[in-house]
Amino acid sequence: MDPSLLATIVLFGSFVVLLLIGVPISIGIGLASLLAALTLVPLDMITFTATQKLFSGINSFTLLAIIFFMLSGSIMNNGGIALRLINLAKLFVGRMPGSLAHTNVVGNMLFGSISGSAVASAAAIGSVMNPLQKKEKYDPAFSAAVNIASAPAGLLIPPTTAFIVYSLVSGGTSISALFMAGYLPGILLGLSIIMMAYFIAKKEKYPVANKVTFKQAIRVVLDALPSLSLIVVVIGGIVMGIFTATEGAAVAVLYSAILAAFYRQIKLSDIPAILKETIVMTGIVLFLVGASSIMSWVMAYGSIPQQITDLLLSVSENPIILLLLMNVILLAVGIFMDITPAILIFTPILLPIATNIGIDPVHFGVILILNLCIGITTPPVGSALFVGSSIANVPIESVTKPLFKLYIPMVITLLLVTYFEWISLLIPRLLGLM
Protein backbone atom coordinates (compact mmCIF):
# COMPACT_ATOMS: atom_id res chain seq x y z
CA MET A 1 0.00 0.00 0.00
CA ASP A 2 1.15 3.56 -0.73
CA PRO A 3 2.75 4.98 2.49
CA SER A 4 0.81 8.26 2.23
CA LEU A 5 -2.50 6.44 1.88
CA LEU A 6 -1.62 4.16 4.81
CA ALA A 7 -0.68 7.22 6.92
CA THR A 8 -4.02 8.86 6.06
CA ILE A 9 -5.99 5.76 7.10
CA VAL A 10 -4.01 5.33 10.33
CA LEU A 11 -4.24 9.04 11.22
CA PHE A 12 -7.99 9.46 10.86
CA GLY A 13 -8.93 5.89 11.75
CA SER A 14 -7.03 5.90 15.05
CA PHE A 15 -8.25 9.42 15.84
CA VAL A 16 -11.90 8.37 15.48
CA VAL A 17 -11.32 5.23 17.57
CA LEU A 18 -9.61 7.23 20.33
CA LEU A 19 -12.50 9.71 20.42
CA LEU A 20 -15.06 6.90 20.57
CA ILE A 21 -13.39 5.30 23.59
CA GLY A 22 -13.37 8.62 25.42
CA VAL A 23 -9.76 9.80 25.08
CA PRO A 24 -9.53 13.62 25.44
CA ILE A 25 -9.36 15.24 22.03
CA SER A 26 -5.93 16.83 22.49
CA ILE A 27 -4.43 13.49 23.58
CA GLY A 28 -6.24 11.79 20.67
CA ILE A 29 -4.72 14.24 18.18
CA GLY A 30 -1.22 13.63 19.53
CA LEU A 31 -1.47 9.81 19.70
CA ALA A 32 -3.09 9.51 16.25
CA SER A 33 -0.37 11.72 14.78
CA LEU A 34 2.40 9.60 16.34
CA LEU A 35 0.82 6.37 15.07
CA ALA A 36 0.53 7.81 11.56
CA ALA A 37 4.13 9.06 11.71
CA LEU A 38 5.32 5.49 12.42
CA THR A 39 4.18 4.53 8.91
CA LEU A 40 6.35 7.26 7.37
CA VAL A 41 9.57 7.84 9.35
CA PRO A 42 11.83 6.04 11.89
CA LEU A 43 10.95 6.18 15.61
CA ASP A 44 13.99 8.25 16.64
CA MET A 45 13.10 10.94 14.10
CA ILE A 46 9.46 10.94 15.31
CA THR A 47 10.53 11.41 18.94
CA PHE A 48 12.77 14.37 18.14
CA THR A 49 10.51 16.08 15.59
CA ALA A 50 7.25 15.60 17.52
CA THR A 51 8.80 17.13 20.67
CA GLN A 52 10.13 20.03 18.63
CA LYS A 53 6.77 20.64 16.92
CA LEU A 54 4.89 20.43 20.23
CA PHE A 55 6.89 23.34 21.66
CA SER A 56 7.41 25.38 18.48
CA GLY A 57 3.66 25.21 17.84
CA ILE A 58 2.93 27.29 20.92
CA ASN A 59 6.03 29.51 20.66
CA SER A 60 4.04 32.29 18.99
CA PHE A 61 3.53 35.95 19.84
CA THR A 62 0.08 35.76 18.22
CA LEU A 63 -1.06 33.10 20.70
CA LEU A 64 -0.68 35.62 23.51
CA ALA A 65 -3.73 37.37 22.04
CA ILE A 66 -5.84 34.29 22.82
CA ILE A 67 -4.65 34.28 26.45
CA PHE A 68 -5.33 37.99 26.91
CA PHE A 69 -8.74 37.86 25.21
CA MET A 70 -9.73 34.91 27.41
CA LEU A 71 -8.67 36.81 30.53
CA SER A 72 -10.58 39.87 29.34
CA GLY A 73 -13.63 37.70 28.68
CA SER A 74 -13.42 36.16 32.17
CA ILE A 75 -13.29 39.61 33.76
CA MET A 76 -16.22 40.84 31.65
CA ASN A 77 -18.27 37.71 32.40
CA ASN A 78 -17.99 38.46 36.09
CA GLY A 79 -18.15 42.23 35.72
CA GLY A 80 -21.91 42.81 35.60
CA ILE A 81 -22.28 43.85 31.96
CA ALA A 82 -24.94 41.32 30.86
CA LEU A 83 -27.91 43.21 32.31
CA ARG A 84 -26.71 46.53 30.87
CA LEU A 85 -26.40 45.03 27.39
CA ILE A 86 -29.83 43.37 27.69
CA ASN A 87 -31.40 46.73 28.53
CA LEU A 88 -29.68 48.22 25.47
CA ALA A 89 -30.91 45.35 23.28
CA LYS A 90 -34.49 46.07 24.35
CA LEU A 91 -34.23 49.52 22.78
CA PHE A 92 -33.63 47.95 19.35
CA VAL A 93 -36.18 45.12 19.36
CA GLY A 94 -38.50 45.82 22.31
CA ARG A 95 -41.50 46.80 20.20
CA MET A 96 -41.67 43.55 18.21
CA PRO A 97 -43.90 40.57 19.11
CA GLY A 98 -41.85 38.25 21.31
CA SER A 99 -39.63 41.17 22.26
CA LEU A 100 -37.84 39.27 25.02
CA ALA A 101 -36.75 36.56 22.57
CA HIS A 102 -35.36 39.19 20.19
CA THR A 103 -33.69 40.94 23.12
CA ASN A 104 -32.02 37.62 23.94
CA VAL A 105 -30.60 37.41 20.39
CA VAL A 106 -29.27 40.99 20.34
CA GLY A 107 -27.95 40.55 23.88
CA ASN A 108 -26.00 37.46 22.80
CA MET A 109 -24.58 39.31 19.80
CA LEU A 110 -23.37 42.16 21.99
CA PHE A 111 -22.16 40.09 24.94
CA GLY A 112 -20.59 37.39 22.74
CA SER A 113 -18.58 39.94 20.80
CA ILE A 114 -17.24 41.42 24.05
CA SER A 115 -16.60 38.16 25.94
CA GLY A 116 -15.49 36.15 22.88
CA SER A 117 -17.26 33.04 24.13
CA ALA A 118 -20.55 31.51 22.97
CA VAL A 119 -20.79 29.39 26.11
CA ALA A 120 -20.26 32.40 28.41
CA SER A 121 -22.82 34.34 26.39
CA ALA A 122 -25.44 31.57 26.59
CA ALA A 123 -24.88 31.34 30.35
CA ALA A 124 -24.79 35.08 31.14
CA ILE A 125 -27.63 36.26 28.87
CA GLY A 126 -29.71 33.12 29.40
CA SER A 127 -29.56 33.37 33.18
CA VAL A 128 -31.02 36.89 32.99
CA MET A 129 -33.50 36.36 30.15
CA ASN A 130 -35.01 32.98 31.05
CA PRO A 131 -36.71 34.13 34.30
CA LEU A 132 -38.06 37.22 32.50
CA GLN A 133 -39.48 35.12 29.65
CA LYS A 134 -40.93 32.59 32.08
CA LYS A 135 -42.74 35.42 33.86
CA GLU A 136 -44.22 36.53 30.50
CA LYS A 137 -45.48 32.96 29.82
CA TYR A 138 -42.97 32.12 27.07
CA ASP A 139 -42.50 28.43 26.31
CA PRO A 140 -39.29 27.54 28.23
CA ALA A 141 -38.11 25.28 25.39
CA PHE A 142 -38.53 28.12 22.86
CA SER A 143 -36.68 30.57 25.12
CA ALA A 144 -33.81 28.12 25.58
CA ALA A 145 -33.68 27.38 21.83
CA VAL A 146 -33.43 31.08 20.93
CA ASN A 147 -30.67 31.57 23.50
CA ILE A 148 -28.73 28.54 22.23
CA ALA A 149 -29.07 29.40 18.53
CA SER A 150 -28.01 33.02 18.95
CA ALA A 151 -25.13 32.47 21.39
CA PRO A 152 -22.54 31.70 18.63
CA ALA A 153 -23.30 34.93 16.72
CA GLY A 154 -20.79 36.71 18.96
CA LEU A 155 -18.04 34.33 17.77
CA LEU A 156 -18.27 35.95 14.33
CA ILE A 157 -18.44 39.53 15.60
CA PRO A 158 -14.94 40.56 16.78
CA PRO A 159 -12.90 40.42 18.85
CA THR A 160 -12.95 36.64 18.76
CA THR A 161 -10.28 34.03 19.46
CA ALA A 162 -11.63 31.70 16.75
CA PHE A 163 -10.28 33.98 14.01
CA ILE A 164 -6.92 34.24 15.79
CA VAL A 165 -6.60 30.44 15.86
CA TYR A 166 -7.56 30.26 12.18
CA SER A 167 -5.00 32.96 11.29
CA LEU A 168 -2.29 30.99 13.07
CA VAL A 169 -3.11 27.67 11.35
CA SER A 170 -3.78 29.15 7.90
CA GLY A 171 -0.27 30.56 7.61
CA GLY A 172 -0.80 34.12 8.77
CA THR A 173 -4.06 35.31 7.23
CA SER A 174 -4.56 38.93 8.34
CA ILE A 175 -6.30 39.04 11.73
CA SER A 176 -7.54 42.58 11.03
CA ALA A 177 -9.14 41.43 7.76
CA LEU A 178 -10.69 38.39 9.47
CA PHE A 179 -12.10 40.53 12.28
CA MET A 180 -13.73 42.95 9.82
CA ALA A 181 -14.96 40.06 7.65
CA GLY A 182 -16.92 38.64 10.59
CA TYR A 183 -19.16 41.65 11.16
CA LEU A 184 -21.74 41.29 8.38
CA PRO A 185 -22.04 37.47 8.62
CA GLY A 186 -22.42 37.72 12.43
CA ILE A 187 -25.09 40.41 12.16
CA LEU A 188 -26.82 38.48 9.36
CA LEU A 189 -26.87 35.32 11.52
CA GLY A 190 -28.47 37.21 14.42
CA LEU A 191 -31.05 38.92 12.17
CA SER A 192 -32.03 35.62 10.53
CA ILE A 193 -32.73 34.09 13.96
CA ILE A 194 -34.76 37.17 14.91
CA MET A 195 -36.87 36.76 11.76
CA MET A 196 -37.72 33.13 12.53
CA ALA A 197 -38.35 33.95 16.20
CA TYR A 198 -40.65 36.78 15.09
CA PHE A 199 -42.91 34.44 13.10
CA ILE A 200 -43.01 31.92 15.96
CA ALA A 201 -43.71 34.68 18.51
CA LYS A 202 -46.47 36.17 16.37
CA LYS A 203 -48.13 32.77 16.02
CA GLU A 204 -47.89 32.13 19.77
CA LYS A 205 -48.97 35.75 20.54
CA TYR A 206 -46.03 36.50 22.80
CA PRO A 207 -46.19 40.04 24.28
CA VAL A 208 -44.48 43.28 23.28
CA ALA A 209 -42.27 45.11 25.81
CA ASN A 210 -43.46 48.32 27.42
CA LYS A 211 -42.64 51.54 25.62
CA VAL A 212 -39.48 53.27 26.83
CA THR A 213 -39.37 57.03 27.26
CA PHE A 214 -36.62 59.10 25.65
CA LYS A 215 -35.12 59.86 29.05
CA GLN A 216 -35.02 56.16 29.96
CA ALA A 217 -33.45 55.33 26.58
CA ILE A 218 -30.66 57.86 27.10
CA ARG A 219 -29.96 56.41 30.57
CA VAL A 220 -29.79 52.86 29.15
CA VAL A 221 -27.42 53.90 26.35
CA LEU A 222 -25.12 55.77 28.72
CA ASP A 223 -25.11 52.80 31.11
CA ALA A 224 -24.07 50.38 28.34
CA LEU A 225 -21.68 52.73 26.52
CA PRO A 226 -18.57 51.93 28.61
CA SER A 227 -18.96 48.20 27.83
CA LEU A 228 -19.52 48.80 24.11
CA SER A 229 -16.52 51.12 23.99
CA LEU A 230 -14.28 48.09 24.50
CA ILE A 231 -15.09 46.96 20.94
CA VAL A 232 -14.39 50.42 19.53
CA VAL A 233 -11.07 50.78 21.39
CA VAL A 234 -9.72 47.30 20.63
CA ILE A 235 -10.96 46.76 17.07
CA GLY A 236 -10.40 50.40 16.09
CA GLY A 237 -6.84 50.26 17.39
CA ILE A 238 -6.08 47.01 15.52
CA VAL A 239 -7.61 48.14 12.21
CA MET A 240 -5.92 51.57 12.31
CA GLY A 241 -2.57 49.94 13.04
CA ILE A 242 -2.14 51.55 16.47
CA PHE A 243 -1.41 48.14 17.96
CA THR A 244 -1.29 44.49 16.94
CA ALA A 245 -3.98 41.94 17.80
CA THR A 246 -1.88 40.76 20.75
CA GLU A 247 -1.36 44.29 22.04
CA GLY A 248 -5.06 44.96 21.48
CA ALA A 249 -5.91 41.93 23.61
CA ALA A 250 -3.69 43.27 26.41
CA VAL A 251 -5.50 46.62 26.13
CA ALA A 252 -8.79 44.70 26.41
CA VAL A 253 -7.63 43.16 29.71
CA LEU A 254 -6.70 46.57 31.12
CA TYR A 255 -9.95 48.15 29.89
CA SER A 256 -12.16 45.35 31.24
CA ALA A 257 -10.37 45.48 34.62
CA ILE A 258 -10.97 49.24 34.87
CA LEU A 259 -14.60 48.72 33.81
CA ALA A 260 -15.14 45.96 36.38
CA ALA A 261 -13.75 48.25 39.08
CA PHE A 262 -16.04 51.04 37.86
CA TYR A 263 -19.12 48.78 38.01
CA ARG A 264 -17.98 47.40 41.41
CA GLN A 265 -19.12 43.89 40.48
CA ILE A 266 -15.80 42.14 41.14
CA LYS A 267 -14.16 41.87 44.56
CA LEU A 268 -10.47 41.29 45.21
CA SER A 269 -11.40 37.82 46.48
CA ASP A 270 -12.82 37.01 42.98
CA ILE A 271 -9.52 37.61 41.19
CA PRO A 272 -7.88 34.21 41.97
CA ALA A 273 -10.95 32.38 40.60
CA ILE A 274 -10.91 34.51 37.44
CA LEU A 275 -7.20 33.86 36.90
CA LYS A 276 -7.66 30.13 37.54
CA GLU A 277 -10.52 30.01 34.99
CA THR A 278 -8.29 31.72 32.41
CA ILE A 279 -5.31 29.46 33.12
CA VAL A 280 -7.42 26.31 32.71
CA MET A 281 -8.98 27.53 29.44
CA THR A 282 -5.70 28.71 27.92
CA GLY A 283 -3.92 25.53 29.03
CA ILE A 284 -6.48 23.46 27.10
CA VAL A 285 -6.19 25.65 23.99
CA LEU A 286 -2.38 25.77 24.01
CA PHE A 287 -2.08 21.99 24.40
CA LEU A 288 -4.51 21.58 21.51
CA VAL A 289 -2.38 23.92 19.38
CA GLY A 290 0.79 22.04 20.28
CA ALA A 291 -0.74 18.63 19.52
CA SER A 292 -2.21 19.90 16.24
CA SER A 293 1.27 21.12 15.24
CA ILE A 294 2.41 17.48 15.35
CA MET A 295 -0.60 16.50 13.24
CA SER A 296 0.14 19.28 10.74
CA TRP A 297 3.72 18.03 10.39
CA VAL A 298 2.56 14.44 9.79
CA MET A 299 -0.02 15.57 7.23
CA ALA A 300 2.51 17.73 5.39
CA TYR A 301 5.17 15.00 5.42
CA GLY A 302 2.70 12.43 4.13
CA SER A 303 1.11 14.82 1.56
CA ILE A 304 -2.25 14.07 3.17
CA PRO A 305 -3.90 17.44 2.36
CA GLN A 306 -2.87 17.01 -1.28
CA GLN A 307 -4.42 13.53 -1.38
CA ILE A 308 -7.70 14.84 0.05
CA THR A 309 -7.61 17.77 -2.40
CA ASP A 310 -7.13 15.37 -5.32
CA LEU A 311 -9.95 13.16 -4.01
CA LEU A 312 -12.45 16.02 -3.78
CA LEU A 313 -11.38 17.49 -7.12
CA SER A 314 -11.92 14.06 -8.68
CA VAL A 315 -15.55 14.26 -7.54
CA SER A 316 -16.04 17.68 -9.15
CA GLU A 317 -14.09 20.77 -10.12
CA ASN A 318 -17.19 22.95 -9.89
CA PRO A 319 -16.64 25.51 -7.07
CA ILE A 320 -20.35 25.44 -6.19
CA ILE A 321 -20.32 21.67 -5.65
CA LEU A 322 -16.99 21.70 -3.79
CA LEU A 323 -18.11 24.47 -1.43
CA LEU A 324 -21.29 22.53 -0.74
CA LEU A 325 -19.26 19.39 0.01
CA MET A 326 -16.98 21.33 2.37
CA ASN A 327 -19.99 22.79 4.15
CA VAL A 328 -21.48 19.33 4.63
CA ILE A 329 -18.15 18.02 5.97
CA LEU A 330 -17.75 20.96 8.39
CA LEU A 331 -21.35 20.77 9.61
CA ALA A 332 -20.85 17.06 10.31
CA VAL A 333 -17.55 17.79 12.08
CA GLY A 334 -19.18 20.52 14.17
CA ILE A 335 -21.75 18.05 15.48
CA PHE A 336 -19.05 15.93 17.11
CA MET A 337 -16.15 18.33 17.73
CA ASP A 338 -15.69 21.65 19.51
CA ILE A 339 -14.72 24.71 17.53
CA THR A 340 -11.01 25.11 18.40
CA PRO A 341 -9.81 21.55 17.63
CA ALA A 342 -11.94 21.53 14.48
CA ILE A 343 -10.21 24.71 13.24
CA LEU A 344 -6.80 23.27 14.06
CA ILE A 345 -7.45 19.96 12.28
CA PHE A 346 -9.51 20.91 9.23
CA THR A 347 -7.98 24.23 8.18
CA PRO A 348 -4.80 22.59 6.79
CA ILE A 349 -6.97 20.01 4.99
CA LEU A 350 -9.66 22.19 3.43
CA LEU A 351 -7.92 25.55 2.93
CA PRO A 352 -5.75 24.25 0.04
CA ILE A 353 -8.91 23.04 -1.71
CA ALA A 354 -10.59 26.40 -1.18
CA THR A 355 -7.63 28.38 -2.53
CA ASN A 356 -7.35 25.91 -5.44
CA ILE A 357 -10.85 26.88 -6.60
CA GLY A 358 -10.27 30.60 -6.08
CA ILE A 359 -11.71 31.17 -2.60
CA ASP A 360 -9.99 33.92 -0.64
CA PRO A 361 -8.49 32.65 2.67
CA VAL A 362 -10.36 35.40 4.58
CA HIS A 363 -13.67 34.35 3.02
CA PHE A 364 -12.96 30.68 3.73
CA GLY A 365 -12.13 31.53 7.34
CA VAL A 366 -15.58 33.03 7.80
CA ILE A 367 -17.22 30.00 6.13
CA LEU A 368 -15.26 27.65 8.40
CA ILE A 369 -16.09 29.51 11.63
CA LEU A 370 -19.77 29.92 10.71
CA ASN A 371 -20.11 26.18 10.05
CA LEU A 372 -18.54 25.34 13.40
CA CYS A 373 -20.68 27.97 15.16
CA ILE A 374 -23.75 26.05 14.00
CA GLY A 375 -22.11 22.84 15.21
CA ILE A 376 -21.83 23.96 18.84
CA THR A 377 -25.63 24.34 18.99
CA THR A 378 -26.32 20.78 17.81
CA PRO A 379 -26.67 17.48 19.69
CA PRO A 380 -25.01 15.30 20.86
CA VAL A 381 -21.98 17.33 22.06
CA GLY A 382 -22.78 20.98 21.30
CA SER A 383 -21.34 23.05 24.17
CA ALA A 384 -23.81 25.94 23.69
CA LEU A 385 -26.68 23.43 23.60
CA PHE A 386 -25.74 21.86 26.94
CA VAL A 387 -25.13 25.17 28.69
CA GLY A 388 -28.28 26.80 27.28
CA SER A 389 -30.55 23.92 28.22
CA SER A 390 -28.94 23.64 31.66
CA ILE A 391 -29.37 27.37 32.38
CA ALA A 392 -33.03 27.17 31.32
CA ASN A 393 -33.51 23.92 33.28
CA VAL A 394 -35.11 22.34 30.19
CA PRO A 395 -34.21 18.82 28.93
CA ILE A 396 -32.29 18.72 25.66
CA GLU A 397 -35.06 16.58 24.09
CA SER A 398 -37.55 19.39 24.72
CA VAL A 399 -35.24 22.07 23.26
CA THR A 400 -34.55 20.10 20.08
CA LYS A 401 -37.94 20.68 18.41
CA PRO A 402 -37.95 24.53 18.49
CA LEU A 403 -34.20 24.50 17.83
CA PHE A 404 -34.69 22.63 14.53
CA LYS A 405 -36.85 25.54 13.30
CA LEU A 406 -34.01 27.93 14.09
CA TYR A 407 -31.51 25.79 12.17
CA ILE A 408 -33.33 26.79 8.97
CA PRO A 409 -32.31 30.49 9.05
CA MET A 410 -28.84 29.51 10.29
CA VAL A 411 -28.23 27.22 7.31
CA ILE A 412 -29.69 29.79 4.89
CA THR A 413 -27.25 32.36 6.32
CA LEU A 414 -24.41 29.88 5.86
CA LEU A 415 -25.31 29.37 2.19
CA LEU A 416 -25.58 33.11 1.58
CA VAL A 417 -22.18 33.75 3.17
CA THR A 418 -20.66 30.82 1.25
CA TYR A 419 -21.83 31.80 -2.23
CA PHE A 420 -21.84 35.61 -1.93
CA GLU A 421 -18.29 36.42 -0.89
CA TRP A 422 -18.94 40.17 -0.74
CA ILE A 423 -20.88 39.60 2.52
CA SER A 424 -17.58 38.66 4.15
CA LEU A 425 -15.15 40.76 2.13
CA LEU A 426 -17.02 44.07 1.72
CA ILE A 427 -15.83 45.73 4.94
CA PRO A 428 -12.18 44.50 4.77
CA ARG A 429 -11.93 45.76 1.18
CA LEU A 430 -13.51 49.12 2.00
CA LEU A 431 -10.98 49.55 4.82
CA GLY A 432 -8.07 48.55 2.56
CA LEU A 433 -7.18 45.48 4.61
CA MET A 434 -7.00 43.14 1.60
Side-chain angles (χ1 to χ4, degrees):
M1 183 182 289
D2 178 53
S4 295
L5 179 58
L6 178 60
T8 305
I9 294 170
V10 171
L11 179 65
F12 293 107
S14 59
F15 180 60
V16 170
V17 171
L18 288 167
L19 288 185
L20 289 175
I21 62 176
V23 175
I25 194 164
S26 51
I27 303 293
I29 290 171
L31 288 177
S33 302
L34 294 175
L35 289 172
L38 286 171
T39 67
L40 297 169
V41 292
L43 180 60
D44 56 346
M45 181 180 174
I46 294 171
T47 305
F48 174 77
T49 307
T51 305
Q52 184 186 53
K53 293 295 178 183
L54 183 66
F55 285 97
S56 65
I58 60 175
N59 183 23
S60 168
F61 180 70
T62 304
L63 278 177
L64 284 173
I66 296 176
I67 298 171
F68 283 132
F69 275 129
M70 284 186 170
L71 177 55
S72 173
S74 294
I75 295 171
M76 297 295 263
N77 292 346
N78 294 277
I81 68 166
L83 187 58
R84 291 170 174 85
L85 295 178
I86 286 170
N87 289 333
L88 179 66
K90 280 184 184 177
L91 293 180
F92 296 108
V93 291
R95 301 303 296 164
M96 297 169 62
S99 57
L100 291 180
H102 310 313
T103 299
N104 195 325
V105 176
V106 177
N108 270 329
M109 292 167 69
L110 294 171
F111 190 86
S113 65
I114 291 173
S115 69
S117 169
V119 171
S121 184
I125 301 298
S127 61
V128 176
M129 293 304 304
N130 286 326
L132 296 175
Q133 293 179 80
K134 190 175 181 180
K135 188 177 177 181
E136 295 286 347
K137 308 298 183 187
Y138 281 69
D139 176 12
F142 169 72
S143 301
V146 170
N147 184 42
I148 292 163
S150 59
L155 290 180
L156 289 164
I157 302 172
T160 172
T161 56
F163 282 131
I164 298 172
V165 175
Y166 171 79
S167 171
L168 186 76
V169 185
S170 64
T173 306
S174 168
I175 294 175
S176 298
L178 286 166
F179 276 3
M180 292 299 102
Y183 270 110
L184 287 183
I187 293 169
L188 185 60
L189 179 62
L191 291 177
S192 69
I193 294 169
I194 286 175
M195 286 179 63
M196 179 59 78
Y198 171 82
F199 290 117
I200 297 172
K202 199 166 183 180
K203 181 182 176 184
E204 299 294 333
K205 297 181 179 172
Y206 290 135
V208 176
N210 295 327
K211 203 168 184 179
V212 177
T213 66
F214 180 74
K215 188 176 180 180
Q216 289 172 323
I218 293 296
R219 190 183 299 118
V220 167
V221 171
L222 291 175
D223 202 26
L225 203 55
S227 300
L228 292 175
S229 297
L230 171 69
I231 301 173
V232 178
V233 171
V234 174
I235 301 303
I238 292 172
V239 171
M240 290 190 296
I242 298 173
F243 38 68
T244 65
T246 302
E247 292 162 347
V251 170
V253 172
L254 178 63
Y255 187 98
S256 56
I258 293 170
L259 195 62
F262 175 75
Y263 285 153
R264 298 182 182 179
Q265 296 290 318
I266 294 180
K267 303 172 187 174
L268 286 175
S269 58
D270 297 327
I271 294 176
I274 291 172
L275 292 175
K276 180 182 177 183
E277 180 185 3
T278 305
I279 291 167
V280 170
M281 288 191 299
T282 53
I284 292 169
V285 171
L286 291 178
F287 189 61
L288 275 169
V289 171
S292 71
S293 298
I294 302 173
M295 180 177 275
S296 296
W297 165 66
V298 172
M299 288 195 296
Y301 195 91
S303 302
I304 292 172
Q306 185 59 48
Q307 287 195 42
I308 297 172
T309 300
D310 294 340
L311 177 64
L312 284 178
L313 289 174
S314 69
V315 174
S316 174
E317 293 188 5
N318 187 324
I320 295 174
I321 301 298
L322 287 172
L323 283 170
L324 186 62
L325 282 172
M326 284 191 279
N327 277 327
V328 170
I329 291 169
L330 289 170
L331 284 172
V333 167
I335 291 173
F336 299 102
M337 193 177 294
D338 203 20
I339 191 164
T340 300
I343 295 170
L344 292 168
I345 294 170
F346 288 91
T347 298
I349 295 172
L350 297 179
L351 182 58
I353 303 170
T355 53
N356 191 285
I357 58 176
I359 303 300
D360 189 278
V362 173
H363 180 210
F364 179 73
V366 176
I367 295 171
L368 176 76
I369 304 301
L370 180 50
N371 269 289
L372 299 175
C373 280
I374 296 173
I376 64 173
T377 69
T378 58
V381 295
S383 52
L385 172 66
F386 278 97
V387 170
S389 60
S390 175
I391 290 292
N393 199 24
V394 178
I396 289 176
E397 314 84 73
S398 302
V399 175
T400 304
K401 186 177 179 181
L403 197 53
F404 269 113
K405 294 178 183 177
L406 296 172
Y407 289 146
I408 296 170
M410 295 172 81
V411 171
I412 290 173
T413 300
L414 173 62
L415 293 174
L416 289 173
V417 170
T418 299
Y419 293 113
F420 296 93
E421 71 167 17
W422 66 265
I423 297 175
S424 301
L425 303 185
L426 177 64
I427 296 179
R429 283 174 175 164
L430 286 176
L431 294 174
L433 298 173
M434 297 182 63

